[in-house]
Amino acid sequence: MSQPSEPVKGNILIIDDTPNNVRLLSTLLTNHGYDVRGVINGEIGLRAARSAIPDLILLDISMPQMNGYEVCQSLKSDALTQDVPVIFISAFNEVTDKVKAFEVGGVDYITKPFQWAEVLARVENQLKICLLQKQLQMRNQQLQLEIQERVKVETALQMANEKLQGLANQDGLTGTSNRRHFDEYLQRWWILLTDAGSIALILYDVDFFKAFNDHYGHLEGDRCLQRLVQATQKAIDTIAPPHALLARYGGEEFGVILPQADRDLAQSVAQAIQSHVNMAAIPHQKSTIQDTVTVSLGIACIDFTAAKEPTALIAQADEALYLAKSAGRNRIVHYDAAKNS
């Protein structure tokens, strides 16, 4: 039974214009498990290197037509062969020759006549370095892929979390913010504005909404609330300050938080909401006020020169809304005006 062959230790290209040197080096390296090709001038060497990329090149310096320095420069300027390590072999033993060899891209230098043990040691050393560099490059590529994959996963996770957070803050029927988000948003701005500024709140609901549901049915009641939100959002987008938040406060009741808004601005926003709801012209035959849907609005505004809790603002707006409904509905009542009247 034949023994399995030893794996090839590396592919080496020898470029030397002295056939005897090529023959001796080829024999030595082949006997030590290397796959060796030999050529006798630089032009052929370049073609051989490009046709089958070697793991290592042994390159003579003193050659006619194209010397070893020129061959090395050509190898290093070609993307196919620029990473192949080159060991110069030469009878020149001057420091300037060795320095130039390294300047043009050589990784090592062997002087003639050869010391065979030295040749083997330097060849083996460069191939080990080359192998380690390839392994490092592959590992770096693998790490880059792993990083890219992790970034993709983390991005997808972040998007999923943001979507879940959005759903957790959203009213399922109207698509606007829900009561949970309303409370969190008001508390956050309350903390931000404690030392300076003011905050306003508008609470409003649909006049005679129970009668609307009883007459048109709950599906039409849901559509009414959705159209109401669309009209309100148009008003907010038109006149409200930055960071205004519309939320479904409960049932047919809605709230608009207006950070850094004073009494006059809150009044203007409330009037815009009332106007846009009227323009929506949602039929309401069971209203005792008019034949389209109307809203009653209560406004409260707190200046943070006085220490209060967010519940105080809500309570004031709620009281103003109650007064608006008690006074005949389809109107705007401001808490301060009602309190002082």
Side-chain angles (χ1 to χ4, degrees), residues 62-78:
S62 181
M63 294 185 294
Q65 298 176 340
M66 177 179 282
N67 64 37
Y69 299 133
E70 294 169 328
V71 173
C72 189
Q73 287 175 320
S74 183
L75 289 168
K76 296 304 174 182
S77 64
D78 190 328

Side-chain angles (χ1 to χ4, degrees), residues 110-179:
I110 302 174
T111 56
K112 301 176 182 178
F114 302 128
Q115 299 292 325
W116 300 118
E118 179 186 4
V119 172
L120 290 173
R122 291 183 182 274
V123 166
E124 183 177 354
N125 181 60
Q126 287 304 322
L127 288 174
K128 283 182 179 179
I129 292 173
C130 185
L131 177 62
L132 289 173
Q133 289 174 336
K134 288 180 179 179
Q135 290 175 342
L136 180 60
Q137 184 178 15
M138 290 178 63
R139 180 56 181 159
N140 285 338
Q141 291 173 348
Q142 182 180 356
L143 286 173
Q144 287 297 320
L145 291 174
E146 291 175 0
I147 291 171
Q148 292 173 6
E149 189 62 30
R150 179 174 294 182
V151 168
K152 288 180 182 178
V153 171
E154 290 178 352
T155 301
L157 182 60
Q158 182 179 354
M159 291 176 64
N161 286 335
E162 289 175 355
K163 185 176 181 179
L164 287 173
Q165 184 64 36
L167 292 173
N169 291 335
Q170 189 178 71
D171 175 58
L173 174 64
T174 63
T176 192
S177 295
N178 57 19
R179 175 64 182 273

Side-chain angles (χ1 to χ4, degrees), residues 8-55:
V8 176
K9 296 166 64 175
N11 298 303
I12 300 175
L13 174 64
I14 302 170
I15 306 174
D16 193 324
D17 66 328
T18 305
N20 191 48
N21 287 341
V22 174
R23 184 170 53 255
L24 290 174
L25 286 170
S26 296
T27 301
L28 172 70
L29 295 170
T30 300
N31 290 340
H32 283 81
Y34 296 101
D35 187 4
V36 183
R37 289 177 293 157
V39 298
I40 57 173
N41 68 56
E43 289 287 351
I44 299 175
L46 289 174
R47 290 198 297 270
R50 290 162 183 159
S51 63
I53 309 300
D55 297 315

